[in-house]
Amino acid sequence: MKAAVAMVLLLAAVVGLQALREQSGTLAPQAGTGNLLYVRSGEFMTRAVLSFDSLAADVYWIRAVQHYGRSKLSGGVDKKYDILYPLLDLTTALDPKFDIAYRFGAVFLAERPPAGPGRPDQAIALLERGLRAQPGRWQLAQDLGFVHYWYLHDYLRAAEWFKRSSEIPGAPNWLAPLAAVTLAQGGSRGSSRQLWQQVLESADADWLRVQARFRLRQLDAMDQIAALEQAVKLYERRIGSLPMSWADMVRTGDLRGIPVDSERHPFELNPFWGTVTLDRASPLNPLPAPEQPR
Amino acid sequence: MNAIRIEALTKRYNVGFWRPRPYLALDGLTLQVAAGEVFGFLGPNGSGKTTTLKLLMQLIFPTSGSAEILGRPAGDAAVKRRIGYLPEHPYFYDYLTAEELLAYFAGLFGYAAAERRRRASALLDEVGIGAERRFPLRKFSKGMLQRVGIAQALINDPDVVFFDEPMSGLDPLGRREIRNLILRLRDRGCTVFFSSHVLSDAEALCSRVAILAGGRLIAGGPLSELLAFQVRGWELLMSGLDAAVLERFRSGPAITGATPLGGGRFALELPLGIPPERTLAELVAEGAQLVSLTPIRDTLEDVFVERVAAAARSRRLEHPQP
Amino acid sequence: MRAVRHIAVNVFRESVRDKVLYSLVLFAVLLIATSYLLGQLTAGQDIKIIKDLGLASISVFGLLIAVFIGIGLVWKEVERRSIYSLLAKPISRAEFVLGKYAGLVLTLLVNIGVMTIAFYAVLVYLGWREIPEVREAWPAPAADPAMLGAIGLIAIELMLVTAIALFFSTFSSPFLSAVLTLGLWVVGHFNADLRDFEAVVESRPAVWLARTLYYVLPNFSAFDIKAQVVHAQPVGVGYLAQTAIYGLVYIALVLVGAAVVFSRRDFK
């Protein structure tokens, strides 16, 4: 009985100390050095891990995911993602057939800050290496097209990659028309929507479907923003001044209620410029850069 | 005063991993041992002797019932200071010498270093371990480990000692030495509780015994009473016996069997019904010489075959299996 | 307490007479020597590599001692039945467990001490051999006393590992105990990742489970400040103290658990 009480008290102390450790996070000196990566040469590592290279690749992949997740979560300034590329590089050197590391990794790398390091060049390098290792993977070529399209707005190159990917045996039949649409009207929300819609319908992985749905919701939000800005312009023309808030436009009957995005966050109105943006807390942030139709 | 008092002590194990079934290792044992007594705890292998001793030492815990040693519950720290225990097939640390082992155990009783050495050396003399006491115990034979085990049980001059099969692993000489040791302990006023499946040990040492089979007490009391009716004949060893004389006796009822032993000696079996003195006198009158006369008794196992079977029969009646 | 000390001394004697222990120490010394040779081959970074290797080998050899002796200590006594005559002596089972633990910790600390002395000897030699200009460029002196903080935390971490190994060995076989202990050690080193679990997983129950484990499992990663010390990053006294207290409280918890489990056990 005495022992049971002692054990409960000690367990409480352990949990308490662990909580204390979490609170006084500054005490933990790990924060600065969790990002240390000693070995950066994939070639060396492949030899060093003996026959466990696939397992080691898994470990580095997990580290890459955690590094990404932790950097993304860490509030404020130190979102460096500084060893993300070396980690992915090591992972794919240890296991050159690690598809998910190329594909997910490219998305990680290409994301604009603060959601990622904003390095589409590294994403492309990673994917190109993947394609060299496995020339039969049309998905990698398709992803290259994506990176060019979505992050670099280089629709010519994007169309080129979509076309190359459609020529790889086993590629789905929607890739060839996608290449054509990209070439003709790359950058328009319409063509983007078509791109993601295709991905959603043909995705073979959950994360890809999640990603596609998210992008489609972002496109919806962009459509909404365009419509709202149009409505604000009409209001200004009619009343002679910009609305101070959505409430003004509800009163005049221009809006039926406070406009919200698909995540139920209200859009923000800038009363000085008449521009409309997402709520800062909306998970749809950050929206892709303004369109640059050719 | 009772040195040991055992009340309805029961130990049930669950055997089997997936579908545990209860197994009664000890079934309601009640027993008293008086202070200063040498008590034999007898029974065939697997009858519950070791289980009882482990319960008394609190190496296992009873399912129900209780045990007291020297008026206090078993396992009490004060009790442990005044008892000694020899486990069955004792085994100790490979890396220690016999001397070190005894000094280590003596230290647990709080004796000072010099006293530890004195006790260790005196006890090793007493159980007959000579110069080997400086060898690591991993080099010890089974019999020598047994002797060390007995020595360690006596390290604190105990008032009650528990020996689990003290004679096992010993040669005849060793057995006699340990018998003498137990008798010396008795003379010192120490209560000795020992288990054995060999009847002769108990016969030579005990005032009282308890007999266990299938986890149950099936007989108990003074040894003389218990064994009196168990004698089933006599063995007579004679020399200088004439073959013709033997033939004559064989045809009568006085001798039921004869085995030639060489050197003109014969081992003769005499029935229980006819007093052996008469047959002996007649044979001596014919010119034969007496070598020895010993009663023939059932071995413990012989006696128990019947008892155990009876116990098993009654148990089946109590707990019929579908 | 006397009984605990007595048993502890006997455990220490056992491990000293066990030749496995010598070879472990010898191997650790050899590894430090190898790290010295390796330092000769790679230009510039040699002092850092030797510090890395030295701290890592102290940690790994200590771990081997803690786990592989810790799991056998109690089990061997029960399996060989030497515990039967021992427990008939006036000691409680809790004293037995504590004594075994104290003895193993004594062994462990002596070993860590030997390894630390050898380690510092190599470092002092290296510092003495180097020209002052090179020494100036190092972020920390060769025989940096700050590394004692890292070694101290390694010692407490290994004491906790020992306690866990002992706990498992009070009721399971050495193989299972080794697997469970090493498993906990590995999981405990990923402890910080359990906190950030919601970054990679969306399922609520999984996140809660990760949170609970984060609070309850031993946080071994907290004891690892090797990299910081090698890179001469400051580690506050507060951090050292807090982590040490955490480790000691956890050790107390595990030992009470071991004593409770062991006190109820039947030795069939």
Side-chain angles (χ1 to χ4, degrees), chain A residues 42-219:
Chain A
E43 205 178 325
F44 168 78
M45 193 49 100
T46 309
R47 286 180 179 76
V49 296
L50 307 172
S51 62
F52 300 106
D53 36 9
S54 175
L55 186 69
D58 299 344
V59 171
Y60 276 105
W61 169 239
I62 291 166
R63 266 193 80 180
V65 173
Q66 277 165 348
H67 174 67
Y68 177 74
R70 206 172 311 158
S71 300
K72 195 170 171 180
L73 274 190
S74 66
V77 282
D78 59 334
K79 296 196 179 186
K80 287 208 199 87
Y81 304 97
D82 45 1
I83 58 166
L84 183 56
Y85 182 72
L87 280 172
L88 290 167
D89 187 44
L90 270 176
T91 307
T92 53
L94 286 165
D95 185 354
K97 295 192 190 317
F98 208 144
D99 272 352
I100 194 101
Y102 293 115
R103 304 195 63 196
F104 221 159
V107 174
F108 287 171
L109 285 167
E111 279 292 335
R112 262 186 300 277
R119 292 296 298 269
D121 56 324
Q122 290 181 342
I124 288 167
L126 188 71
L127 285 169
E128 281 181 344
R129 224 149 38 75
L131 202 58
R132 271 200 299 281
Q134 304 186 85
R137 286 270 172 207
W138 60 265
Q139 290 95 333
L140 296 175
Q142 180 209 348
D143 289 350
L144 273 162
F146 265 109
V147 173
H148 280 288
Y149 183 107
W150 192 255
Y151 297 103
L152 293 174
H153 312 295
D154 183 345
Y155 307 114
L156 205 63
R157 281 274 179 73
E160 211 173 280
W161 278 113
F162 287 142
K163 186 156 164 25
R164 268 179 69 174
S165 116
S166 73
E167 284 158 3
I168 294 172
N173 49 16
W174 51 265
L175 270 169
L178 182 65
V181 170
T182 305
L183 204 56
Q185 39 180 304
S188 74
R189 278 205 294 278
S191 78
S192 298
R193 191 180 292 281
Q194 190 179 346
L195 185 76
W196 288 113
Q197 199 62 47
Q198 289 290 8
V199 172
L200 181 61
E201 281 160 22
S202 65
D204 54 358
D206 257 352
W207 67 269
L208 202 55
R209 254 191 297 278
V210 169
Q211 176 80 354
R213 279 203 200 94
F214 178 73
R215 294 303 182 194
L216 286 169
R217 283 202 300 275
Q218 280 192 322
L219 288 168

